[in-house]
Amino acid sequence: MVIGTSQGGRFLPIDLAKAGRKAALVEGGHLDGVCVNSGCTPTKTMVASARAAHQARRGAEYGVRTGPVSVDLAAVRERKRAICRTAGRGRSARRRSSSTPLRTNLLGRGKVSTRDRLVPYTVFIDPQLGRVGMTERQAAEQNRSVRVAKLPMSAVIRALETGETRGFMKAVIDADTQQILGAAVLGVEGGEIMTIIQVAMLGELPYTAMANAVFTHPLLAEGLNSLFMSLDAQ
Ligand SMILES: Cc1cc2nc3c(=O)[nH]c(=O)nc-3n(C[C@H](O)[C@H](O)[C@H](O)COP(=O)(O)OP(=O)(O)OC[C@H]3O[C@@H](n4cnc5c(N)ncnc54)[C@H](O)[C@@H]3O)c2cc1C
């Protein structure tokens, strides 16, 4: 018996039935749970509307003339509802993957745990804050010998071009192994940039791989070259 659908829960009974198990699903509230109905998706659509208003008001900074900008809250809510309906219908990989550990364990296909995994987070403020791994303080508490790379977003060409220069990138490196222990990116699409660093951490790449990588010019990702190259100047 699966109690509650949540993100991937509605797929679980189907997968169990396909594997020859008897399964039933009980949902006492909204199909698909909090995330798509009243949590992750609706709040981010509202943030996107707020950002659109903010950008429209900044038009003059980019040489674009706009009239007075106002927000139509009813239209904002309708957009939110439409997006949540679409997101709720989708059988996205994200939704399926959220039930993967349960499915794998219940079907006896392995023992999957979320323990000891690199768990990042993003705060959807403006600009975004993306965080992964150890902070400088946590590394110090573990008596690790570290090097710290920092770069203001104002030093990233893409950030300059788009007028999004608030914030910084920071990474903590193990001085002995050269591996990246953690990172924080406060800046436009900070969560996305942090995720590039997370992938490097998952692959246990030395920071030099990021310093010397060829990234498309001019992307925000190119800032990672400068961030990690700054260690050479220390
Ligand atoms: C405003 C807000 C914003 C958020 N933003 C993000 C975000 O950006 N990123 C992120 O990762 N997370 C975000 N979250 C958190 C995310 O929504 C939750 O972590 C996630 O929904 C938890 O999933 P769950 O399956 O544990 O529970 P739920 O999504 O709550 O699902 C549980 C389901 O079980 C049902 N249920 C409960 N009890 C019973 C019962 N006795 N009988 C039958 N059915 C029952 C409920 O109706 C519900 O459908 C946000 C949450 C909120 C509130």
Side-chain angles (χ1 to χ4, degrees):
M1 171 84 74
V2 179
I3 301 176
T5 42
S6 69
Q7 281 260 300
R10 76 151 95 173
F11 303 118
L12 199 52
I14 298 169
D15 292 334
L16 290 172
K18 278 183 185 163
R21 306 280 182 89
K22 266 192 167 176
L25 171 67
V26 179
E27 171 53 64
H30 291 291
L31 204 59
D32 297 329
V34 168
C35 188
V36 77
N37 288 298
S38 54
C40 327
T41 310
T43 50
K44 303 317 166 289
T45 65
M46 300 287 271
V47 170
S49 292
R51 184 162 176 78
H54 173 66
Q55 286 301 88
R57 290 188 180 114
R58 291 182 63 201
E61 286 178 41
Y62 298 82
V64 176
R65 278 193 218 104
T66 55
V69 176
S70 61
V71 175
D72 178 348
L73 261 184
V76 168
R77 286 199 202 97
E78 186 40 49
R79 175 179 182 274
K80 176 184 80 172
R81 276 193 284 270
I83 289 172
C84 291
R85 274 197 299 273
T86 307
R89 274 198 302 267
R91 288 174 63 91
S92 71
R94 158 79 179 97
R95 296 177 63 218
R96 271 197 89 80
S97 70
S98 59
S99 64
T100 298
L102 264 178
R103 192 170 54 242
T104 306
N105 294 343
L106 285 173
L107 294 177
R109 290 176 183 163
K111 264 198 152 187
V112 181
S113 168
T114 52
R115 212 172 298 144
D116 300 327
R117 290 170 86 180
L118 198 55
V119 180
Y121 67 80
T122 295
V123 186
F124 291 83
I125 47 176
D126 189 7
Q128 265 177 30
L129 170 67
R131 273 274 309 118
V132 63
M134 266 184 220
T135 61
E136 198 177 345
R137 184 186 297 176
Q138 285 166 338
E141 283 165 2
Q142 291 186 14
N143 294 321
R144 297 179 86 127
S145 168
V146 296
R147 302 176 71 195
V148 177
K150 277 187 201 165
L151 188 80
M153 289 303 284
S154 55
V156 180
I157 292 175
R158 181 70 182 155
L160 280 171
E161 288 166 354
T162 54
E164 300 282 0
T165 52
R166 292 170 300 161
F168 62 89
M169 302 184 191
K170 177 175 173 178
V172 180
I173 319 294
D174 187 305
D176 301 319
T177 65
Q178 302 199 341
Q179 280 186 6
I180 307 163
L181 299 174
V185 182
L186 177 70
V188 60
E189 301 296 355
E192 308 285 350
I193 304 170
M194 170 277 290
T195 304
I196 299 172
I197 302 177
Q198 181 193 355
V199 172
M201 292 169 72
L202 287 169
E204 300 183 359
L205 294 179
Y207 82 87
T208 46
M210 300 295 276
N212 300 324
V214 178
F215 294 119
T216 305
H217 172 73
L219 283 184
L220 290 167
E222 218 183 22
L224 295 173
N225 289 141
S226 310
L227 173 70
F228 290 106
M229 275 179 185
S230 71
L231 289 167
D232 297 338
Q234 288 178 8

